[in-house]
């Protein structure tokens, strides 16, 4: 998820592990532990597009990283704060849980997290929460900040932090329940309409867990639909988009192209632009405003072409829409199940 959310989660975990011994130092180092996995992006300037996609949420987000690095950092911090009552075990557990909860929370989003790296580069994803969700983050943040203003031995401090962890966890459980309810509607409506599919991905639309989208894999393309838990009509409208995978035939076999397609988990469509370059749409994220009648552009699009030397090049296309007050009002109405 977003950096602020991971900082808050890490701080709260640090407080739960060692708050009574370290006070706000536990919050601080917990926040740092919640940030460390995302420092993999610092290597981006030295990586091309596909390498960036492969490396992010890989090594630093794996269980192996947590197992190996946590005791090292635990030993270092125990040495740094040798006059503090926290033991090396406390410091190691603070970092271990900070790393693991970061990775598991990222796995709840759409991108996917390589939890089992280096044994597998599969991106584990549960698709139950958007990468930014104020209803998850803001109450969490508020309670953790309030906890920080109390003495490390205060029962109220512990109560506030425990409440923060409980409320945020309950919201995640709600997101799974909401996803299950949306999936039930998607499956029933596809059955009634005779939509043929072999698998599907459902995910929440931005910043909420009420309005959901689905992408179902058909034989030669994909069916896309949207449903709000507040919709009265349970018959979802599906739009079909051909995959056009044959456009990639001249390029197949290139390791980076194959890796890019692997990252999409097979959920991609292909287009060709006016200059002959290939555009690969990652359908896992869907379109920014596909819920509107006018449709919209895909969140993640990758341009592929051959340079003058015949080498295959990759570039992410910035396809962000204009988000203004009118757009947000329409989006809010759609979440509430109103026609737009």
């Amino acid at each position: 998820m977003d950096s602020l959310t991971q900082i808050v989660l890490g701080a709260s975990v640090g407080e739960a592990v060692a708050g009574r011994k370290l006070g706000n130092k536990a919050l601080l180092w917990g926040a740092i532990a919640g940030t460390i996995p995302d420092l993999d992006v610092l290597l981006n300037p030295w990586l091309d597009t596909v390498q960036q996609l492969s490396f992010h949420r890989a090594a630093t987000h794996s269980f192996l990283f947590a197992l190996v690095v946590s005791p090292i950092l635990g030993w270092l911090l125990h040495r740094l704060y040798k006059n503090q009552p926290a033991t090396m075990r406390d410091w190691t557990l603070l970092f271990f849980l900070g790393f693991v909860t970061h990775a598991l929370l990222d796995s709840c989003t759409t991108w996917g997290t390589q939890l089992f790296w280096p044994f597998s580069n599969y991106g584990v994803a549960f698709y139950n929460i958007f990468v930014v969700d104020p209803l998850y983050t803001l109450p969490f943040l508020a309670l953790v900040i309030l906890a920080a203003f109390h003495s490390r031995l205060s029962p109220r401090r512990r109560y506030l932090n425990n409440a923060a962890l409980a409320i945020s966890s309950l919201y995640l459980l709600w997101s799974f329940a909401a996803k299950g309810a949306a999936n039930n509607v998607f499956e029933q409506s596809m059955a009634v309409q005779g939509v043929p599919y072999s698998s599907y991905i459902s995910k929440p639309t931005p910043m909420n867990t009420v309005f959901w989208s689905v992408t179902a894999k058909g034989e030669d393309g994909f069916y896309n639909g949207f449903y709000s838990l507040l919709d009265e009509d349970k018959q979802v409208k599906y739009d079909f988009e051909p995959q056009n995978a044959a456009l990639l035939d001249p390029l197949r076999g290139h390791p980076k192209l194959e890796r890019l397609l692997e990252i999409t988990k097979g959920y991609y469509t292909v287009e060709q632009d006016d200059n002959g370059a290939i555009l690969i749409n990652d359908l896992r994220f869907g379109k920014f405003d596909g819920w509107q009648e006018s449709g919209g552009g895909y969140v993640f699009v990758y341009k592929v072409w051959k340079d003058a030397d015949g080498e295959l090049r990759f570039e992410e296309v910035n396809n962000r829409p204009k988000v203004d007050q009118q757009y947000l009002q329409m989006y809010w109405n759609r979440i509430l199940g109103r026609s737009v």
Side-chain angles (χ1 to χ4, degrees):
M1 292 187 73
D2 64 280
S3 297
L4 174 60
T5 301
Q6 293 291 10
I7 287 171
V8 174
L9 175 60
S12 184
V13 168
E15 170 65 26
V17 171
R20 291 179 66 84
K21 295 180 178 181
L22 296 170
N24 285 345
K25 289 187 182 68
L27 288 171
L28 172 63
W29 284 104
I32 292 172
T35 301
I36 287 174
D38 281 340
L39 297 182
D40 56 5
V41 300
L42 295 178
L43 288 180
N44 280 356
W46 293 275
L47 304 175
D48 64 28
T49 298
V50 178
Q51 289 171 332
Q52 290 175 17
L53 297 174
S54 296
F55 188 69
H56 183 48
R57 293 196 183 181
T60 60
H61 288 67
S62 67
F63 292 140
L64 181 64
F65 178 84
L67 286 169
V68 173
V69 177
S70 297
I72 297 173
L73 293 177
W75 177 80
L76 288 173
L77 268 296
H78 182 53
R79 296 274 296 178
L80 179 64
Y81 293 106
K82 55 187 176 183
N83 295 324
Q84 296 286 340
T87 64
M88 179 178 167
R89 178 185 177 278
D90 294 328
W91 283 111
T92 299
L93 190 60
L94 182 151
F95 282 105
F96 179 80
L97 292 179
F99 296 157
V100 169
T101 54
H102 179 124
L104 290 176
L105 183 58
D106 274 352
S107 297
C108 290
T109 64
T110 305
W111 184 256
T113 306
Q114 297 176 46
L115 297 176
F116 304 103
W117 181 94
F119 310 105
S120 170
N121 61 6
Y122 180 80
V124 177
F126 300 110
Y127 308 101
N128 61 290
I129 194 167
F130 191 69
V131 292
V132 178
D133 191 325
L135 287 178
Y136 178 85
T137 305
L138 294 181
F140 206 170
L141 175 62
L143 289 169
V144 170
I145 289 175
L146 287 174
F149 285 97
H150 290 79
S151 164
R152 63 184 177 87
L153 298 177
S154 168
R156 186 165 180 79
R157 178 185 178 107
R158 193 166 187 83
Y159 170 80
L160 287 167
N161 190 63
N162 288 342
L165 288 169
I167 291 171
S168 60
S169 298
L170 285 172
Y171 185 77
L172 284 180
L173 289 176
W174 150 255
S175 72
F176 280 109
K179 179 181 175 71
N183 285 352
N184 187 51
V185 171
F186 288 138
E187 291 173 5
Q188 289 185 9
S189 62
M190 285 191 285
V192 169
Q193 297 176 45
V195 173
Y197 69 96
S198 57
S199 63
Y200 69 86
I201 289 175
S202 64
K203 59 275 186 187
T205 58
M207 298 187 292
N208 78 104
T209 51
V210 175
F211 186 31
W212 294 76
S213 67
V214 68
T215 299
K217 182 184 293 186
E219 184 175 353
D220 299 311
F222 298 87
Y223 298 87
N224 300 298
F226 291 84
Y227 171 71
S228 169
L229 300 182
L230 301 178
D231 284 348
E232 293 184 8
D233 186 3
K234 307 297 183 184
Q235 287 305 309
V236 178
K237 177 185 176 182
Y238 295 98
D239 296 318
F240 178 79
E241 183 171 353
Q243 187 172 38
N244 295 324
L247 290 173
L248 291 176
D249 287 348
L251 307 177
R252 293 305 296 264
H254 191 284
K256 288 186 178 179
L257 175 63
E258 298 303 323
R259 177 57 182 148
L260 177 58
L261 299 182
E262 183 182 32
I263 289 171
T264 69
K265 300 178 180 176
Y267 280 79
Y268 67 90
T269 59
V270 186
E271 303 173 71
Q272 196 167 36
D273 69 13
D274 295 337
N275 297 318
I278 295 297
L279 300 176
I280 299 175
N281 302 310
D282 190 337
L283 306 190
R284 293 174 303 157
F285 302 89
K287 297 179 178 180
F288 276 105
D289 45 3
W291 47 273
Q292 296 191 81
E293 287 295 330
S294 58
Y298 282 100
V299 180
F300 289 102
V301 180
Y302 303 101
K303 180 180 178 180
V304 186
W305 75 100
K306 286 187 176 181
D307 64 15
D309 297 324
E311 291 293 324
L312 212 57
R313 301 296 181 185
F314 299 83
E315 178 182 80
E316 183 178 339
V317 178
N318 190 331
N319 202 24
R320 310 304 190 256
K322 178 183 178 182
V323 178
D324 52 22
Q325 184 175 356
Q326 181 182 9
Y327 178 93
L328 292 174
Q329 184 61 54
M330 292 175 62
Y331 182 54
W332 177 244
N333 286 334
R334 185 62 191 88
I335 291 174
L336 296 178
R338 303 168 184 164
S339 59
V340 294

